[in-house]
Structure formats: C-alpha cells, structure tokens
C-alpha cells in the first residue's frame, strides 16, 4: 500500500506519542483482514498447538517440585532449584555433558552428510531399476528394532565376532571391541549411519526430484561437466532442505537417546559412553519414580537446545536466505 | 490456467473431495470403534452387614497379567480358579491389566488420573515414600481394623507369625496389604550352575570352596577347551546375582553385619574378592569379555560350551541350557553347586533367598472401594485351607487327585493335551506359580512344578543354607520420600564410580594397590550419609 | 550423445561398487532376522555369529504369533490408525505448511517461533495424559492415538520449506484467476509438491504403524490394541528373562522367545516394505515438471 497515505492519515488524526502503538494495531487489523483466508486456514493448526502443546505445558513446573503422582501437579510440594542442583552437583555432570556434546558433534559431522551423499550418488545412477533396488534395500535397517540391532552389534563386535575377524584380518588386535572406551563413539556413530542412511536419504531424493531437468540440459549445452552440474545446479537445488534439517539437528544436540547407549555400553565404557539421558535413566532405577529430576534435566537440555537452534537459525539467516524464521 | 494443469494422477478437485470423504469415513469409523472407558467404581451388594460371604458384590481389580496366564487368557477372570472363586464367594471381580512390560508406567498414570480401581495388586514398597505415603496420599487404606474384625484367617496367621507380620507392616505398625506369603521350606531358586558332565569326565567333585572352584575352572580351560570357563554379567541390575563375592564375607551392595549396615564395595573383604577375580581374569579363567556380555551372549556361551560355570535360575537357565543341547549334545548335563565359601566346612551366608513376604502379589484396598468390609472378607478366603487348596491345586478330580492325602496334579496340568507347559497350564487353571494374595510356594506344589531332576535337585542345594542369609540380607525396609531422594542422588554417582572401578580392577587396568584411594573416593562421595539413611530404615524395621 | 570422460566412467564404476556394498550391508541384517525367525530357538540360543540359513527350519514362532486371538484385530486397528491418522496428519500439516509459507503476513513469524518452541518445551507425559483422558474423555478410543499427534512440527517445517519453493508466479496467476487460498493450496501447491507429500505419507504412516506407546497408556480393551502393542506383549510373554515365568519343564515352549523376537520384526515390517515401491514413483526425476508445463 502506498506509504504516503499512511503517514498522512497518521499525522492528520493522532498525536505523535500514541501514533506508533495505534499504527501497529492498525497494521495488524489491516493485515488480518487482507489475509483473512490464510489466517482462517491456520486456525485448526493454532488450535491444535494451543490444546495439545501449550495447554499441558504447565506440567514443566514439576521440575521445581517434588512430584508425587497421587498429589498431582498442583499439590506436590515446591523444592525450588533442588532438582537442578542435584544434577549440576553430580560428580559426573561434566562427563555426561561432554559425552553428549561429543557424540552429537560427531553425528553432525559424519552422520548428517551421509544420507545426502547417498542421495547424490543415487542421483547419478542411470539404470532406474538398480536405483530403485538400492533405495528399497538401504532403508531396511531403519525398521529393525534397537534391541535387535544392539544385539547384533554386540555379537558381531565380540571377540569372535565377524567384524572383529575383518579387523584382525586388516592387522588389528583381537578383542571385544565394545569393552574398550575409546571405541565406543566410533561404534555408536557408525552403526547409526548404517542404520539410518537409507531412510534419511528419502527426503533428499524427494528434494532432488523437484529440480527442473531443463536446467541440466541447458548446462550440458553450455558445456558443463558432471562436477559443475553438481555444484551449480544440484546442490543449490536441495540446499534449502539441507539447511533446514541441519538447523534442526543442531537443535537436538542434547538429545542423545538413552536406549541405544544402554544397549551398547558397560561400566568399562562409561567414560566415553555415558550421556545425560543414560545417566538419568540409571538414577531412576533406584525404584522411586524420579519424575521431577527427569523433568528438570529435560528442561536444562531443552534450554540449551533451543539456544543452539536460535543461534544456528540466526547465523543461517545472515549467511543465506534459508532459515526457520 | 488452473484447468490447464495436468499431472500424472487424479485431478486436484476430485483429490480434495476424496480426501474429505476419506477423512469423514475415517472419522466415523474411529468414532464407532471407540468405546466407553470401563466403569471402575463398582456397586456393593445391597446388604453389607453380617458375616455372610454370599452377597452379590463386585469389585474392580487391578493386577499384572502374568506371562504364564496370558498365554491362555486375556484376563484373570477366565482362569478356572477365579471362576470357581466367584461361585464359592458370590463376589464378582472385574479385572483390568496393564499391558505387559509397562506395568509401572500404567500404575503411575492410573493414580495420576485418580480413576482408582477397588483393589490393586502392586509392590507398594516401590511407591515413592513407601506404603505409609500411599495411605497418607489417600490412595490406599489401613487394614488393621478391617482384618481384626472381619478377616479371622488373616488375623490368625499374622498373629502366629510375627516375624513375617513385621515385613508386611509399615514402620508404624500399619497393615496396608493382604500379603502374598511364600510358605514352603525352600525359597531360593537361583545360584551357581556348573557342567556336570565335565566334572564327571574330569573326576572332579562339585566345588565348595574357592580353591576348588579355581581348580575346576583351570580344568575346564585346559582340558575342556572352555574359552570363558566362568562367565557373568556385570551390569547394575545383575549385582545381586554375584555368587563369588559372598565367600569373602561381604555383600555386593548394602548388607548387614551384626545389625550394622555396610556397603560391600568399600570393605576390606571386597579387596580380597577383587584380587581373586583379577587373578582369574589374568589366568583366563574368567570370561575375558565380561565387560561386553549381555544375556544372549551369556546364554550362548553356556549352551555352546565356551563356559562351564555361571549364575543361573532353576527354571529358565537350567531349562534353556538343557533344552538347547538335548538333541545335539545329549551328554550335556548341569548341576547346581553350593554358594562357594573360603574354607572347607564354612557355611555360605549371602544367598539369593526370596523374602517370605512377596510384595508383588499382595493386594491393597483403595480409597475408591465403596465396600471395604466385603472386600476384606473376600480376601480372607485366600487364607483358609479351602481357598489355599483351590488356588494352588485347583479342583479335585480336574486338576489334582488326592494320593494318600498328597495332592497330585493331574495330566491336565502335567501333560496338558493342548501342549501347554506345566507353568502355562497352571496359569490357566490355578494361581500357583507366581505371587498372589495368600500362600504360595507350597512344598507339595514345588515338588511337582519342576519337571527335570536337575531342577528339583538345584533348589534343594541352593536352599540348604538359605536361612543364613537372614542376618546379612537387607530386609524389606521402606524409606521416606526425602530419604529415598537423597539416597538416589548419592548412590547414582557412587554406583557409577564403583562399577567402573570394579571392572578396571578386575581387568588389571587399575592396580589393586589403589584400593585405598578408591575407598577414600567413595567416602568423599558421601557413602557415610547413605549408610546412615539405610541404617535408619533398618532400625525402624526392627522396631516394628 | 556426449562421450563420457575417463574420470566419469571411473566414478560410475566406483559408485556402483559402493552401492552394491551398501545393499549387502543393509540387506543382510534383515536376511538374518528372517532366518532367525524361521529357526529353532534352542539352536539360536547357542549360536553366535552370522546366519546363512535358518537353523532347523520351522514355523513355530509364526504359529505362536498368529495363534494369538488379537492378531487379526491388531492388524485391523493398525490399518485404521495408519489410514485415518495419516489423512488427519496430511490435512492439518498442509494447512499449516501453506499458511506458514506465505510471506508478508505479520503474524507468520511469531506463529512459527511459537510452533517451533513446542519442539523443545513440553509439559511431559502426565499433563498430556490427564488432558486426553480426563479433560477430553478420549480414553479407550482410537482418537487418543491420532489427535494428540495430529501435527509433527518437524514434518511441518519440512513441508513448509517445500511449499515455499513453489514459484510465486503460479500462485499469483491463480489469484488472478480468482481462486481463493484453499483452492490454491489444493489445486496448485499440493499437486506440485507430490514428492514431499509422498515423503510425508511415508513419515507419518510409518510413525503410526510403529507406534505402541500411546496405545499402551490410553487403551483398555485388548480388542482396540494396534499390532505393535500385541506383538510387544507376545514378545515379553515369551521372553525368558522374566523371573516370574520361571517355568519348569523340558519342553520347548519357553525358549521359543528367541525366534519370536525376530518373527515379530518380520511381521511388523514386511507390510511397510511392500508399500514403499508404490511411493517411489514420486521420487523420479522431474516428475512434477510436466505439471508446470502447459
């Protein structure tokens, strides 16, 4: 809308001091009316989040209470920051924090690009049947439950396991690989890549299929080689998806899940394997249901995660146009 | 322009309307499939006075559905015992069971939703703050008066067995459940297992002392090719199953020594234990991979002959290992060994004896129950001779016959025509092989339950000295919420540290010369306070 | 026809080799699972290492699972949940993705932040449970399994990113033609974003297919249990780990747990593997380009 008329209207009618607020309200009202259809479209979505996410959010206060199931959230006694103190004062706080961060960073560096690379490689395959075959088979491990995967890993990496055999064949030492702390992170991240690479590549394949083949044709006419096409067409084409997923992964740094860790670790590897969630899990095994403690630690993790996300998003916005908001 | 958009597949408009149609369809189907949440409060019969047991009452009853029963029925009401019980007492029970494997979660959610069933079977010691708190929080009710006035059989039993009554009461003498009590002379179902055929081949006796164990393990290694003669699991939940540590006079975790609570891993005896384990490890007598074992690899090692000695259960371990070999290696045989001691003639003390009071199968009456008097009368029936026989042996002629006064299970149980195992057949008709209100573990049942001779023998061996454990094992104490929170905070760090050092000492990565430094570290982590907390709980228990 | 350079040919060869390696390493575990499910449990217990064939071929595990009275209803319920749930998901998520992808609206940014916020902060299990069970009275109904999870914020963001990539010119011309926003969404944007829609169907569908936790806490009647919950129960029932099932006996009834563990995976996964090829056609190169050409 023409700037002139706004300014004139405001100058004519309202005193200076009140103008900015009213201006904002006016703008908002105008916006709502103009884009009525879109906002109406969003109503069910807003309702969903309000009811199922913001409604129950008060439950987070049990982090500051000693939660008792029977008394309920309202009547459970307040303990202030005690739960947080219990966590921060733990002898192993820094260790589990460090392990969590390190594993997440390794995953960011190695596990994040893996599905992208797979998608790009698949993209280069010309025989369609082969491409489909690889796609369909490569995502199968995603569906095998963690318990079975954990069992397989334990077996294959045992002293007489067949992966150990391969390593010995290449000149390594024969030993139970999972018994040594220095191996844990490698095993954890690598097995994660193997299990998720196929499933993770699906979204990138979808993004790749959205790139206009005419662009490639034009590039060929211009004499561009495969590498150049990759760099100038393919990558930019899927960059928005990559960036968004990367930002969201940064936002989950504190979340290394306990189930897989617990299946693969043992006291000898606590040094590198024990992460925040596995540590909290062991604490809850004492028999008393440590809801409050778990919630407090979760709140801490969420805070860090959200901060990381906001930072990553900000940097991304400055560097290119893609960002969450 | 809109109309000119063509795609492979259907047009946009019909797609949208199809989506809408499908949604409506889905919606109506979902609506049709949702059912009313079942009523959990029930109506008592019209007359609730007097001592008649024939009244038309009904109660809602929450309990775990044991695996042995769930293979045949979807709710306990279909078990023959409960059908008979309903006829005899006139009380109808509406069972609800949490999904298998998620009982604790479901328990919490049920309480949180305040939609309490009338009777709840649960290990109330696990309730945060203990059973007192459960009463304080208005979840369950005190039973002392009810039992006194309306449950003569329960009252009689508790009066005649004060030691057991002590286990069932809170620190303040309040009765909070109708308990499941293990009677029977044997209460130990797990312990050391060794390869009997190997012992026979090698001409070795079943080991009793640590030295005999060492000899045996050496022979297993050198002459039988066992790469992991003795194997075990070292993760946290497996610590109570450590069969070697007891020989050195200390427990694996908290234990009692003349009424004083002590923490095993910091006691001098533990250093001797670690020394032995380290020597075994160095010599290859202890599984070199104990750091990485899980249950599957453990079972595989024992079944395939890589190991010759292990901690096991009478039922599952003996059964699994023997079964795995009955075709391919019929010579394979197992025998139970006694819990080892240091010197010949000593008696083992740290034995895995189950407490008489079995919290898991005990029933509490909730504050939602509209007719506690009828409920307690119904529960009293379990403690009568008639109720006991019905529950553990069933119906005469159908599930057992009397052979000179001895109840012998019929083929319906022992050789079930539908190919159910003994345990599963019992689960279908009785309630004998897992805890339940009243008495379990009747000697006469136990004799017939374990089919294999090795199993029958094993419990006799392991149970021989089981009463020695009474002075050393931590009793069933209950801690206050503050106590348990503090304990959890202190012990999670200490356990992590102790578990890590444990494996490092054994594997030789940490020299045992540093044992004192390790004890000092544990003290720095506040073990003394934890011991005091435990001691307070034990003292309260003793005063009950 | 261009001649491929030597470097190009080499690359293709290496690529194919890599893909073959990938196939072997990702297919084998599933093959292992299939073999194990057809094996005799006793032999499985003492076996370590790779499996190249079933040990003692038998169908016991499958018989055990399929003889469970709730298996059929389990499949039925799951089918319902997957179809109904995914449709609800698609509807809500598309509305949200489209709305949030529009630029220039004042409330979009705060709304997006507010929505992303919920990915990080939540009230925990108990408040949601109380809301669904006591507040909305959805206990023991299948609605409790699909409404609380109507939108996955992660999927919403991905879909929004995709919708934002639809050329503005097409949307403008739609407006010029007089179409309202709903029409634009359903007739222009969604048809042009079929690859992402296909991915969403896969993500949401698989999530519903695999879910058992919500069913576990909200459902009381076993006839409403979805497949995964039934399978989980069967698995635990037959596990030799539970102390209470210290069954005696020299029969095989009880180490059957080993092979059942694998059979449940096969039963639960096979249907999904059969669905994927149908969705694959949406991932073909340039599938949507034909749509944009007039």
């Amino acid at each position: 809308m023409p700037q002139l008329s706004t300014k004139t209207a405001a100058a004519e009618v309202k005193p200076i001091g009140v103008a900015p607020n009213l201006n904002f309200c006016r703008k908002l009202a105008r916006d709502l009316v103009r884009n009525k259809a879109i906002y109406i479209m969003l109503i069910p979505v807003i309702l969903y989040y309000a009811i199922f996410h913001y409604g129950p959010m008060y439950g987070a206060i049990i982090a500051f209470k000693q939660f008792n199931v029977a008394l309920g959230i309202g009547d459970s006694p307040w303990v202030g920051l005690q739960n947080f103190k219990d966590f921060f004062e733990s002898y192993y706080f820094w260790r589990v924090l460090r392990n969590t961060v390190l594993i997440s960073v390794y995953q960011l560096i190695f596990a994040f690009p893996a599905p992208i690379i797979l998608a790009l490689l698949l993209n280069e395959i010309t025989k369609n049947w082969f491409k489909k075959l690889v796609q369909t088979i490569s995502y199968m491990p995603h569906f095998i439950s963690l318990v079975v995967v954990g069992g397989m890993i334990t077996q294959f990496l045992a002293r007489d396991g067949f992966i150990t055999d391969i390593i010995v064949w290449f000149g390594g030492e024969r030993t139970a690989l999972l018994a040594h702390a220095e191996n844990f992170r490698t095993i954890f991240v690598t097995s994660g890549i193997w299990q998720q690479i196929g499933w993770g590549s699906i979204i990138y394949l979808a993004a790749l299929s959205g790139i206009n083949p005419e662009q490639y044709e034009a590039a060929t006419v211009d004499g561009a080689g495969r590498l150049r096409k990759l760099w100038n067409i393919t990558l930019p084409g899927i960059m928005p998806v990559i960036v968004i997923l990367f930002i969201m992964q940064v936002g989950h740094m504190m979340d290394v899940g306990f189930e897989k860790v617990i299946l693969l670790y043992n006291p000898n590897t606590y040094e590198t394997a024990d992460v925040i969630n596995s540590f909290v899990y062991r604490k809850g095994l004492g028999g008393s249901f440590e809801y409050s403690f778990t919630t407090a630690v979760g709140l801490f993790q969420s805070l860090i995660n959200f901060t990381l996300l906001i930072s990553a998003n900000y940097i991304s916005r400055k560097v290119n146009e893609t960002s969450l908001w | 322009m809109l109309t000119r958009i063509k795609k492979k597949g259907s047009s946009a408009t019909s797609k949208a309307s199809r989506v809408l149609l499908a949604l409506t369809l889905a919606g109506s189907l979902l609506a049709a499939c949702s059912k009313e949440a079942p009523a959990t409060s029930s109506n008592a019969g019209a007359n609730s006075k007097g001592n008649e047991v024939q009244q038309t009452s009904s109660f809602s009853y929450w309990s775990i559905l044991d695996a042995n029963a769930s293979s045949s029925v979807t709710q306990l009401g279909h078990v023959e015992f409960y059908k008979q019980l309903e006829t005899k007492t006139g009380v109808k029970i509406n069972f609800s069971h949490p999904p298998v494997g998620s009982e604790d979660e479901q328990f919490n959610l049920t309480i949180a939703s305040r939609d309490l069933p009338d009777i709840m079977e649960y290990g109330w010691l696990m309730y945060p703050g203990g059973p007192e708190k459960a009463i304080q929080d208005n979840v369950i009710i005190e039973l002392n008066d009810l039992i006194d006035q309306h449950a003569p059989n329960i009252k009689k039993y508790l009066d005649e067995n004060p030691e057991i009554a002590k286990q069932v009461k809170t620190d303040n003498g309040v009765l909070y459940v109708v308990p499941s009590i293990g009677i029977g002379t044997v209460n130990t179902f797990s312990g050391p297992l060794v390869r009997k055929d190997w012992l026979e081949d090698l001409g070795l006796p079943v080991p009793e002392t640590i030295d005999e164990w060492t000899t045996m393990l050496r022979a297993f290694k050198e002459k039988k090719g066992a790469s992991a003669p003795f194997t075990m699991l070292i993760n946290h939940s497996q610590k109570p199953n450590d069969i070697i540590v007891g020989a050195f006079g200390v427990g694996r975790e908290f234990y009692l020594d003349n009424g004083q609570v002590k923490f095993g891993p910091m006691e001098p005896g533990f250093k001797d234990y670690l020394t032995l384990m380290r020597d075994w490890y160095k010599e290859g007598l202890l599984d070199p991979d104990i750091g990485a074992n899980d249950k599957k690899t453990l079972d595989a090692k024992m079944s395939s002959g890589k190991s010759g000695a292990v901690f096991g259960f009478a039922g599952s371990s003996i059964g699994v290992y023997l079964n795995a070999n009955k075709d391919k290696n019929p010579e394979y045989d197992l025998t139970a060994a006694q819990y080892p001691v240091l010197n010949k003639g000593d008696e083992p003390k740290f034995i895995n004896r189950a407490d008489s009071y079995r919290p898991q199968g005990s029933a509490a009456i909730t504050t939602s129950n509209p007719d506690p008097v009828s409920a307690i009368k119904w529960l009293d029936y379990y403690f009568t001779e008639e109720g006991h026989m019905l529950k553990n042996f069933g119906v005469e002629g159908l599930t057992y016959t009397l052979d000179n006064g001895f109840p012998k299970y019929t083929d319906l149980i022992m050789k079930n025509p539908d190919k159910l195992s003994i345990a599963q057949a019992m689960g279908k008709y009785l309630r004998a092989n897992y805890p339940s209100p009243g008495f379990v573990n009747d000697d006469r049942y136990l004799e017939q339950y374990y089919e294999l001779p090795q199993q029958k023998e094993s419990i006799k061996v392991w149970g021989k000295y089981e009463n020695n454990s009474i002075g050393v094992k931590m009793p069933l104490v209950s801690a206050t919420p503050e106590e348990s929170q503090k304990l959890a905070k202190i012990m999670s760090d200490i356990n992590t540290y102790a578990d890590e050092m444990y494996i490092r000492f054994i594997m030789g990565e940490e020299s045992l010369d540093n044992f004192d430094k390790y004890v000092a570290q544990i003290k720095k982590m506040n073990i003394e306070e934890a011991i005091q907390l435990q001691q307070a709980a034990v003292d309260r228990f003793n005063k009950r | 026809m261009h001649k491929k350079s030597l470097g190009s040919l080499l690359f293709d060869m290496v690529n194919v080799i890599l893909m073959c390696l990938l196939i072997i390493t990702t297919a084998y575990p599933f093959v292992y699972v299939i073999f194990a499910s057809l094996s005799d449990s006793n032999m499985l217990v003492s076996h370590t290492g790779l499996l190249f064939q079933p040990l003692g071929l038998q169908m016991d595990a499958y018989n055990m699972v399929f003889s469970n009275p709730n298996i059929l209803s389990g499949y039925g319920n799951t089918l319902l949940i997957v179809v109904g749930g995914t449709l609800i998901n698609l509807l809500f998520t598309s509305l949200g993705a489209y709305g949030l992808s529009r630029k220039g609206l004042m409330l979009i940014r705060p709304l997006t932040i507010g929505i992303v916020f919920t990915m990080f902060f939540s009230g925990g299990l108990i408040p949601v449970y109380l809301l669904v069970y006591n507040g909305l009275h959805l206990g023991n109904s299948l609605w409790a399994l699909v409404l609380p999870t109507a939108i996955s914020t992660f999927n919403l963001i991905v879909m929004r990113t995709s919708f934002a990539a639809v050329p503005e010119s097409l949307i403008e011309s739609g407006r010029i033609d007089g179409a309202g926003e709903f029409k634009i969404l359903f007739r222009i944007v969604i048809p042009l974003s079929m690859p992402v829609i296909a991915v969403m169907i896969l993500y949401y569908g698989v999530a519903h297919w695999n879910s058992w936790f919500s069913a576990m806490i909200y459902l009381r009647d076993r006839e409403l249990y979805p497949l995964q919950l039934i399978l989980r129960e069967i698995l635990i029932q037959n596990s030799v780990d539970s102390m209470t099932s210290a069954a005696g006996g020299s029969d095989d009834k009880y180490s059957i747990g080993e092979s059942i563990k694998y059979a449940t995976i096969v039963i639960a996964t096979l249907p999904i593997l059969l669905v994927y090829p149908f969705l694959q056609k949406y991932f073909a190169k340039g599938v949507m380009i034909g749509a944009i050409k007039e």
Side-chain angles (χ1 to χ4, degrees), chain C residues 21-276:
Chain C
L21 273 174
L22 186 68
I23 293 186
I24 298 177
T25 48
T26 47
Y28 180 71
F30 205 73
V31 167
Y32 178 103
V33 167
I34 295 182
F35 286 160
S37 68
L38 293 168
S39 299
D40 176 84
S41 280
N42 288 322
M43 301 177 72
L44 265 185
V45 168
S46 23
H47 176 89
T48 50
L50 303 177
L51 273 179
F52 292 109
Q53 56 168 12
L55 301 172
L57 181 68
Q58 60 174 16
M59 303 287 292
D60 276 4
Y62 290 102
N63 285 337
M64 169 66 86
V65 173
F66 283 113
S67 64
N68 183 298
N70 297 115
I71 267 284
L72 230 53
S73 64
Y75 265 115
N77 288 323
T78 295
L79 220 54
L80 198 54
I81 295 170
V82 168
V83 172
T86 307
L87 282 170
I88 294 179
N89 292 136
L90 286 176
L91 185 63
F92 275 83
T93 312
S94 329
L95 289 176
Y98 182 69
L100 292 183
S101 64
R102 298 304 96 207
K103 302 185 187 54
L105 280 73
M106 284 177 68
L107 288 183
I108 294 302
R109 201 148 181 254
L111 276 175
T112 310
I113 299 181
I115 288 178
V116 172
F117 186 81
T118 66
M119 262 174 89
F120 297 90
F121 297 96
S122 87
L125 177 61
I126 302 233
V128 176
Y129 178 81
L130 292 177
L131 170 72
V132 172
Y133 201 84
N134 291 349
L136 298 172
H137 296 290
L138 293 178
N140 212 35
S141 104
L142 291 182
W143 284 110
L145 305 186
V146 295
L147 284 184
T149 50
I151 306 182
S152 145
T153 308
F154 178 87
N155 291 353
L156 177 63
I157 299 291
V158 170
M159 212 192 239
R160 183 205 71 172
T161 309
S162 174
F163 282 6
V166 172
E168 192 65 25
S169 54
L170 289 168
I171 299 190
E172 267 311 309
S173 48
R175 292 216 181 99
I176 293 175
D177 277 2
E181 297 297 335
F182 279 86
K183 260 205 186 141
I184 294 182
L185 170 62
F186 285 110
R187 285 214 199 168
I188 304 182
V189 177
I190 287 188
L192 287 180
S193 307
M194 283 317 286
V196 159
I197 302 277
V199 173
M200 290 297 121
I201 292 180
L202 203 57
Y203 279 4
Y204 277 127
V206 168
H208 283 300
W209 181 270
N210 284 339
S211 84
W212 54 270
F213 188 77
S214 296
M216 175 195 92
I217 60 177
Y218 293 123
L219 298 179
R220 300 272 171 266
D221 291 339
R222 270 180 170 67
E223 292 89 58
L224 289 178
Y225 279 12
L227 184 65
Q228 285 289 354
L229 197 51
I230 303 277
L231 291 179
R232 194 166 179 267
E233 281 202 344
I234 298 178
L235 193 56
I236 299 184
Q237 275 169 22
N238 284 284
S239 156
V240 294
D241 291 343
S242 60
M243 277 254 284
T244 48
S245 71
S250 50
D251 47 49
D252 317 291
K253 209 56 55 157
Y254 97 105
S255 56
I256 198 176
E258 265 311 289
S259 52
I260 287 199
K261 197 161 71 172
Y262 299 101
T264 53
I265 296 183
V266 175
I267 293 175
T269 313
L270 226 41
I272 310 237
L273 297 179
L274 298 173
V275 162
Y276 184 64

Side-chain angles (χ1 to χ4, degrees), chain B residues 57-62 75-78 82 85-86 89-97 118-119 375 378-379 382:
Chain B
S57 328
S58 78
F59 294 111
S60 53
Y61 195 107
W62 188 97
Q75 52 126 323
L76 278 184
H78 297 153
Y82 278 105
L85 193 59
E86 185 177 320
T89 60
V91 175
K92 174 142 181 50
I93 301 289
N94 298 315
F95 285 95
S96 61
H97 307 295
D118 297 325
I119 303 178
W378 178 78
L379 286 166
Y382 285 80

Side-chain angles (χ1 to χ4, degrees), chain A residues 114-234:
Chain A
I116 303 177
I117 297 177
L118 177 63
L120 292 174
L121 288 179
L122 276 172
N123 203 32
E124 295 295 322
I125 302 219
T126 44
K127 301 267 190 314
N128 227 13
W129 64 268
F130 187 58
K131 184 171 164 184
K132 275 194 177 176
L133 184 67
V134 177
Q135 272 181 48
T136 312
I137 296 188
S138 66
Y139 83 156
M140 280 194 200
H142 172 83
F143 293 98
I144 306 185
S145 71
L146 268 180
V147 174
V148 174
V149 168
M152 280 190 205
I153 297 178
T154 313
Q155 258 195 48
F156 295 164
L157 297 175
R159 181 171 297 261
D160 54 0
F162 98 98
I163 293 192
T164 318
D165 287 341
I166 297 180
I167 293 184
V168 167
W169 195 70
F170 276 106
E173 189 197 328
R174 178 169 292 280
T175 171
L177 294 164
L178 277 174
H180 303 282
E182 58 267 17
N183 298 334
F184 184 83
R185 294 193 189 117
T186 313
I187 296 176
F188 189 84
V189 175
T190 311
S191 59
I193 295 178
W194 159 79
Q195 198 183 7
Q196 303 299 344
I197 193 175
W199 180 257
S201 70
I202 293 181
I203 183 68
Y204 298 111
L205 286 170
L208 281 170
S209 68
I211 300 181
N212 193 340
E214 282 178 355
Q215 286 188 282
Y216 289 112
E217 286 159 22
T220 316
V221 164
D222 282 350
R226 284 167 88 175
L227 212 52
R228 187 159 281 266
K229 284 183 195 166
L230 180 73
W231 192 254
N232 286 350
I233 305 175
T234 317

Side-chain angles (χ1 to χ4, degrees), chain B residues 34 102 313 315-316 326 449 451, chain C residues 141 216 243 246 249 251-252 254:
Chain B
S34 63
S102 331
F313 294 91
S316 51
K326 70 173 186 235
Y449 175 73
E451 258 194 309
Chain C
S141 104
M216 175 195 92
M243 277 254 284
D251 47 49
D252 317 291
Y254 97 105

Side-chain angles (χ1 to χ4, degrees), chain B residues 67-75 78 420 424-425 427-429, chain C residues 69 237:
Chain B
N68 293 301
S70 62
S71 54
S72 317
V73 299
T74 51
Q75 52 126 323
H78 297 153
L420 294 177
Q424 288 168 332
K428 187 171 176 190
Y429 294 101
Chain C
Q237 275 169 22

Side-chain angles (χ1 to χ4, degrees), chain B residues 10-297:
Chain B
S10 47
S11 84
T13 343
S14 64
K15 169 117 184 147
S17 42
R18 279 207 282 148
V19 168
L20 226 47
L21 180 63
L23 210 54
T24 335
L25 204 62
S28 50
L29 280 172
L30 284 175
C33 281
S34 63
K35 307 205 179 151
E36 287 292 315
T40 45
S41 56
S42 47
N43 49 322
N47 14 311
S48 41
K49 337 186 248 225
N51 291 333
E52 301 114 30
V53 177
Q54 304 82 305
Q55 310 169 72
T56 48
S57 328
S58 78
F59 294 111
S60 53
Y61 195 107
W62 188 97
S63 82
I64 295 176
L65 186 62
D66 187 86
N68 293 301
S70 62
S71 54
S72 317
V73 299
T74 51
Q75 52 126 323
L76 278 184
H78 297 153
V79 169
E80 187 62 33
F81 158 64
Y82 278 105
K83 289 196 220 161
Q84 294 284 332
L85 193 59
E86 185 177 320
T87 325
K88 290 215 197 297
T89 60
V91 175
K92 174 142 181 50
I93 301 289
N94 298 315
F95 285 95
S96 61
H97 307 295
V100 179
S102 331
E103 293 84 5
D104 289 333
E105 239 135 11
Q106 206 62 31
F107 174 78
N108 275 317
L109 293 175
T110 307
I111 300 213
S113 71
R114 282 272 136 199
D115 199 14
L116 297 174
D118 297 325
I119 303 178
M120 279 181 97
E121 239 183 63
Y122 184 71
W124 291 94
L125 285 174
M126 303 267 289
Y127 184 90
E132 284 116 344
K133 196 88 189 358
I135 297 181
Q136 229 177 48
D137 290 342
N138 238 351
V139 180
I140 59 180
I141 64 179
E142 272 192 32
L143 299 178
N144 298 54
D145 291 337
L146 281 172
I147 291 182
D148 229 24
Q149 290 158 26
H150 303 282
N153 295 290
I154 303 180
K155 177 170 161 62
K156 180 158 174 279
Y157 180 78
L158 291 176
D159 285 343
E160 288 175 359
N161 296 278
E163 278 310 303
I164 297 188
K166 206 155 101 166
Q167 292 178 17
V168 183
K169 294 191 185 151
T170 68
D171 290 331
N172 295 322
V174 172
L175 284 164
Y176 57 94
V177 280
V178 172
S180 170
I181 310 277
I183 56 180
T185 48
V186 168
N187 291 286
T188 311
F189 307 101
S190 56
L193 277 178
V194 296
R195 285 289 293 271
K196 183 158 183 223
D197 52 324
W198 284 3
L199 289 177
E200 284 171 355
D201 283 347
L202 297 165
L204 289 171
V206 178
E208 286 175 10
T209 67
I210 292 288
D211 288 335
E212 284 172 353
W213 270 76
T214 309
T215 313
M216 171 186 78
L217 294 176
R218 280 197 187 123
F220 282 176
K221 175 166 193 276
E222 284 149 29
K223 309 233 176 70
K224 286 294 176 183
S227 54
F230 177 58
T231 183
M232 56 190 280
L233 295 171
I234 61 169
N235 46 356
H236 179 77
S237 55
Q238 296 294 325
K239 286 196 252 186
N241 301 335
D242 190 321
I243 47 180
I244 308 287
V245 66
F248 296 89
V250 297
R252 184 68 178 80
E253 300 178 279
F254 286 105
Y255 68 100
L256 286 178
D257 184 10
N258 263 337
Q260 291 299 105
V261 173
K262 291 203 174 143
F263 184 61
M266 63 190 256
E267 294 292 317
F270 203 77
K271 184 176 183 189
D272 299 329
Y273 162 63
L274 286 175
T275 312
L276 174 81
M277 297 289 273
R278 185 202 59 189
D279 292 342
W280 278 3
Y281 183 85
K282 248 198 316 203
E283 220 189 297
L285 304 179
L286 182 61
D287 188 347
D289 294 332
I290 61 168
N293 273 341
D294 63 1
K295 180 136 199 321
K296 177 151 193 347
T297 46

